Amino acid sequence: MNDNIRLRRSINSRGTAGEMPEAEKRYMPGLDGLRAVSVLAVLAYHLNAKWAQGGLIGVGIFFVISGYLITDQIIQEWKREGRLNLLRFWTRRARRLLPAMLAMLLFVALWLLRIEPGRLQALRGAFLSSLFYVNNWWLIYHKVSYFESFGPPSPIGHLWSLSIEEQFYLIWPLLLVIGLKVFPRRGKLALIIFGLAAISALSMAIIYVPGTDPSRAYYGTDTRAFALLVGAALAVVWPSGKLKGQVLSRSRGLLDLIGVVGLTVLLILICRTNEYDDFLYRGGFLVISLLSAVVIAVLAHPAGRIGQWMGCKGLRWIGVRSYSLYIWHYPVIILTNPSVQTEGTSLPRILLQLSASFLLAACSYQYIEEPLRRGGFSVKRNRSFFAGKGAIRPILLSVLIPVILITAACSHYIWNKPEPAVKVVEAVGTMAQPVEHTYESDEEETDENKNQKADNEPISPNNSADKPLPAPGAKEQNGQLAAAATKTTDPLVPSGKGVSAIGDSVMLDAAPFLEKMLPGIVVDGKVGRQMRQAGETVDRLKAQGRLGDRIIIELGTNGPFNKKQLRSLLKSLGADKRILLVNTRVPRQWQDTVNRDIAEVANEFGNAAVVDWYSASEGKEGFFSRDGVHLNRSGAEFYAFLLVKALRAYNE
């Protein structure tokens, strides 16, 4: 992801045999600035920043940059020497990309071996496929979703993109050389390349099915190659070596305006889109690639001032190390994130993750990548770092790195510490004098929690988060469910007859308690159920005569859905049904999208309201199993109690 290697004019700029002399190469600092923006967007996305839900766009921008620079270098070598030394090309790529990745994989393997050896064993296929740069196809073959997976995320789950790039580096030089021989005119060659890009983008649009998991379209080399090819087409028509610094003042102003507008649109898309937008997979990613190509064209031009602005020292420093930062940030984030997280964003943890990511990236670049790329480790080359005034730096690093890593390792245990036993209010009788029962967490007991006593605070929907029961979007005309839910009256509906609950595995967790609290209720839960399958469930219950007049729908745990699907489902149920939509708490990217869509659609129907499980479960880690999604016994009873209370409030 970092092909714009910084080369300066110097007396000794002769280059190695067959390589372009460094004096003939032109460093484009603006492209490193664009790299910095892209990697920061990806980093914010992986940190679950709500303002950067479209940060995955940064990977697409990287692809376009790589396609441009690699093709530009190949064409220059072809014109200079009349041939392309493929072995030298592939060797340079390997020396540039392999060292950092191998170091990261070793780091992750040692970490897991020390802390979670079972998890390391489960990831052996991901490790092997990453080593051979086929990780994206391994994920596709094993149906590993980028968007809809449970359990601890893979700390090397970001290497799919490197696999796509390496596959491109392996095949593209051969195809480009053939193209240069068959189509010597640049215009025709560029059209052929763009035609291939269009085919790739079309394949993404065809493979993608709205409302379903987009991982196949997202991972595939065939469906993502268009970004690299758009960059390649740009290199054919906009070669860096032919761009002149002397242009008319009006032309310079136009260049800067185009660059600013293009960059602004990209930033807006990073902030306003998300990975579940149908737009992205049906031409959106192609539009982003074209916008990126326009910005790259402006930044590559020596006459543009925006290239100088984007090449400022801070952005350039990050951009030069963008590959290193991409490699290291994701395992740092995944390995230090808590498995159950119900209290929102932790600023100290984010600062720790950022510090560790940047520090590891800087060290990787300085001591692993650069020495090997330039021919090997050299004490002489780095002697200023280890002697004299520079000696303070290794001392600081030798202290900082262990401190950060040890703190991160400790945080793994602190943030994943099992919660003590939780008291649950019994949903029978009046709530003025609750009868308390203590249930142990379903997690295994450890020496730390064997002797811990139950929390003294009774758990009820009222004090779970001190927030209103309905999420924003629940109809005001239906009454605020929270107000009714806080009444000190029996929350139990006399009978569950006429009540149907449709959901996924979370509903299955709560089913025994719902059946106890609401005798006669029909609970239809299924592991892995998606919103797109709800219509079939409704039709089946109708045919069996088991669909009630009061319906609880709990879906969205297993992935996002199209708002059209939910609207269609509610319309099929009819206006005579009273519907409760339960939002979700799931430590995955789609959580906020699902909750926002549920609230929006519920607001469109007068017979629907929202049960805000997300707010009610805030800060209640003890309710969840280790995946942070499914409920243990205490959580399942609380969940059922919340639904019963919401049902009573909605009926009043």
Side-chain angles (χ1 to χ4, degrees):
M1 287 189 177
N2 196 7
D3 304 301
N4 186 25
I5 300 170
R6 187 173 185 178
L7 297 170
R8 303 176 185 274
R9 295 177 182 268
S10 65
I11 297 175
N12 297 319
S13 58
R14 292 172 292 181
T16 59
E19 285 191 350
M20 184 189 305
E22 293 187 6
E24 296 181 20
K25 293 183 180 180
R26 182 171 66 84
Y27 172 55
M28 296 170 278
L31 294 189
D32 275 333
L34 183 60
R35 271 205 198 91
V37 171
S38 302
V39 77
L40 291 175
V42 173
L43 204 154
Y45 171 74
H46 286 149
L47 285 170
N48 295 325
K50 296 186 184 300
W51 55 267
Q53 293 187 4
L56 75 167
I57 289 172
V59 174
I61 298 174
F62 273 126
F63 284 163
V64 181
I65 296 174
S66 295
Y68 176 76
L69 290 172
I70 286 299
T71 305
D72 190 50
Q73 292 174 17
I74 292 174
I75 291 176
Q76 289 189 45
E77 182 176 337
W78 177 264
K79 290 184 176 180
R80 186 179 64 255
E81 301 182 10
R83 65 186 183 89
L84 175 64
N85 189 324
L86 287 171
L87 181 60
R88 187 176 65 222
F89 173 83
W90 288 326
T91 301
R92 286 201 305 258
R93 291 293 85 212
R95 287 168 58 181
R96 176 67 189 94
L97 301 176
L98 270 173
M101 189 187 74
L102 292 175
M104 183 273 292
L105 289 175
L106 179 61
F107 172 88
V108 172
L110 292 175
W111 178 292
L112 293 178
L113 186 63
R114 174 65 182 88
I115 296 179
E116 294 181 275
R119 192 173 173 189
L120 177 61
Q121 179 70 12
L123 290 173
R124 63 186 184 279
F127 272 82
L128 288 173
S129 61
S130 297
L131 284 172
F132 292 99
Y133 288 108
V134 291
N135 180 254
N136 63 320
W137 291 112
W138 184 87
L139 294 171
I140 290 171
Y141 178 78
H142 290 278
K143 294 181 171 56
V144 178
S145 174
Y146 188 75
F147 306 101
E148 300 178 3
S149 57
F150 290 111
S154 168
I156 57 172
H158 61 318
L159 296 184
W160 65 270
S161 63
L162 299 186
S163 296
I164 291 177
E165 285 205 20
E166 279 300 312
Q167 292 160 29
F168 177 79
Y169 295 152
L170 182 65
I171 299 172
W172 180 240
L174 299 171
L175 297 178
L176 183 58
V177 167
I178 294 173
L180 290 169
K181 288 182 177 181
V182 177
F183 305 105
R185 300 187 62 177
R186 289 185 299 171
K188 186 173 291 187
L189 179 59
L191 284 176
I192 295 296
I193 295 173
F194 189 77
L196 294 174
I199 293 173
S200 173
L202 182 62
S203 68
M204 171 179 275
I206 292 173
I207 290 174
Y208 173 70
V209 178
T212 64
D213 179 17
S215 293
R216 169 60 183 89
Y218 191 77
Y219 283 143
T221 306
D222 53 341
T223 54
R224 297 304 297 263
F226 62 83
L228 290 152
L229 292 170
V230 165
L234 176 65
V236 173
V237 300
W238 198 262
S240 63
K242 292 190 175 182
L243 302 176
K244 306 300 180 183
Q246 300 298 325
V247 297
L248 296 175
S249 178
R250 182 178 300 176
S251 299
R252 178 181 287 109
L254 182 60
L255 269 176
D256 291 336
L257 178 61
I258 293 173
V260 169
V261 171
L263 187 60
T264 300
V265 174
L266 287 176
L267 293 175
I268 291 173
L269 289 172
I270 288 172
C271 296
R272 299 297 299 273
T273 61
N274 64 64
E275 62 267 48
Y276 310 113
D277 281 343
D278 294 343
F279 154 76
L280 290 179
Y281 304 94
R282 294 190 160 179
F285 276 123
L286 179 60
V287 170
I288 290 166
S289 297
L290 294 173
L291 278 172
S292 302
V294 170
V295 174
I296 290 168
V298 174
L299 295 177
H301 203 292
R305 286 167 292 194
I306 187 175
Q308 300 172 12
W309 303 334
M310 289 291 290
C312 65
K313 189 174 182 180
L315 288 178
R316 192 170 67 246
W317 188 94
I318 296 174
V320 168
R321 295 159 182 80
S322 58
Y323 173 70
S324 316
L325 190 55
Y326 182 85
I327 283 287
W328 287 99
H329 85 281
Y330 194 69
V332 167
I333 291 173
I334 296 303
L335 293 175
T336 58
N337 268 347
S339 58
V340 180
Q341 182 179 346
T342 64
E343 295 184 350
T345 302
S346 169
L347 183 58
R349 184 175 66 250
I350 289 177
L351 292 176
L352 174 69
Q353 291 169 336
L354 288 173
S355 300
S357 298
F358 275 89
L359 185 56
L360 287 169
C363 292
S364 174
Y365 178 81
Q366 180 73 25
Y367 299 113
I368 298 175
E369 300 165 49
E370 280 295 283
L372 289 176
R373 186 178 66 82
R374 295 180 180 276
F377 293 98
S378 172
V379 176
K380 182 178 180 181
R381 181 182 293 121
N382 290 318
R383 64 186 176 186
S384 62
F385 193 91
F386 292 96
K389 295 181 180 180
I392 188 65
R393 286 177 290 184
I395 295 174
L396 287 175
L397 291 180
S398 65
V399 173
L400 284 174
I401 292 177
V403 168
I404 290 177
L405 295 182
I406 290 171
T407 305
C410 292
S411 71
H412 175 88
Y413 293 103
I414 294 172
W415 290 319
N416 290 284
K417 184 179 179 180
E419 290 290 314
V422 181
K423 293 184 179 179
V424 180
V425 177
E426 182 165 282
V428 180
T430 63
M431 291 180 60
Q433 298 294 330
V435 179
E436 299 173 0
H437 293 286
T438 301
Y439 296 97
E440 296 294 334
S441 171
D442 287 352
E443 298 180 5
E444 295 180 1
E445 286 190 325
T446 65
D447 292 337
E448 294 179 347
N449 70 0
K450 276 183 180 178
N451 299 319
Q452 286 181 332
K453 295 182 179 180
D455 195 325
N456 290 326
E457 179 189 7
I459 302 298
S460 75
N462 305 338
N463 60 24
S464 64
D466 295 324
K467 293 188 177 183
L469 183 58
K475 297 291 288 181
E476 193 71 35
Q477 65 196 55
N478 294 327
Q480 290 293 327
L481 299 182
T486 55
K487 293 179 180 179
T488 56
T489 58
D490 187 349
L492 201 60
V493 177
S495 172
K497 291 182 179 180
V499 179
S500 300
I502 300 171
D504 47 42
S505 54
V506 174
M507 184 64 74
L508 282 178
D509 292 338
F513 299 101
L514 283 172
E515 291 166 352
K516 178 181 178 181
M517 298 176 188
L518 294 173
I521 186 175
V522 174
V523 179
D524 193 308
K526 181 180 179 181
V527 175
R529 178 175 282 162
Q530 299 274 12
M531 182 65 73
R532 62 180 178 271
Q533 300 167 321
E536 299 174 2
T537 305
V538 168
D539 292 341
R540 175 168 48 78
L541 291 176
K542 281 183 179 179
Q544 296 172 351
R546 301 172 64 208
L547 187 68
D549 296 325
R550 293 165 292 170
I551 301 171
I552 302 171
I553 298 175
E554 175 274 317
L555 291 168
T557 303
N558 297 294
F561 48 80
N562 193 304
K563 284 184 284 189
K564 293 179 181 178
Q565 293 173 325
L566 181 55
R567 291 191 184 102
S568 176
L569 177 65
L570 297 188
K571 288 178 181 178
S572 70
L573 290 172
D576 59 325
K577 306 291 186 184
R578 308 193 75 177
I579 304 167
L580 285 177
L581 299 173
V582 189
N583 65 15
T584 190
R585 175 173 289 281
V586 53
R588 295 295 182 269
Q589 293 280 356
W590 64 81
Q591 171 188 269
D592 293 342
T593 300
V594 165
N595 291 345
R596 183 172 58 249
D597 290 348
I598 286 175
E600 181 180 328
V601 174
N603 206 33
E604 300 172 4
F605 290 81
N607 63 327
V610 177
V611 180
D612 194 3
W613 166 241
Y614 174 78
S615 296
S617 59
E618 183 176 356
K620 303 299 181 185
E621 285 86 353
F623 285 168
F624 297 90
S625 62
R626 292 184 179 180
D627 61 10
V629 178
H630 298 97
L631 304 173
N632 55 33
R633 177 169 179 159
S634 55
E637 183 165 4
F638 178 86
Y639 188 89
F641 183 72
L642 182 71
L643 295 185
V644 171
K645 206 167 188 187
L647 191 63
R648 178 183 177 89
Y650 194 32
N651 287 335
E652 291 181 351

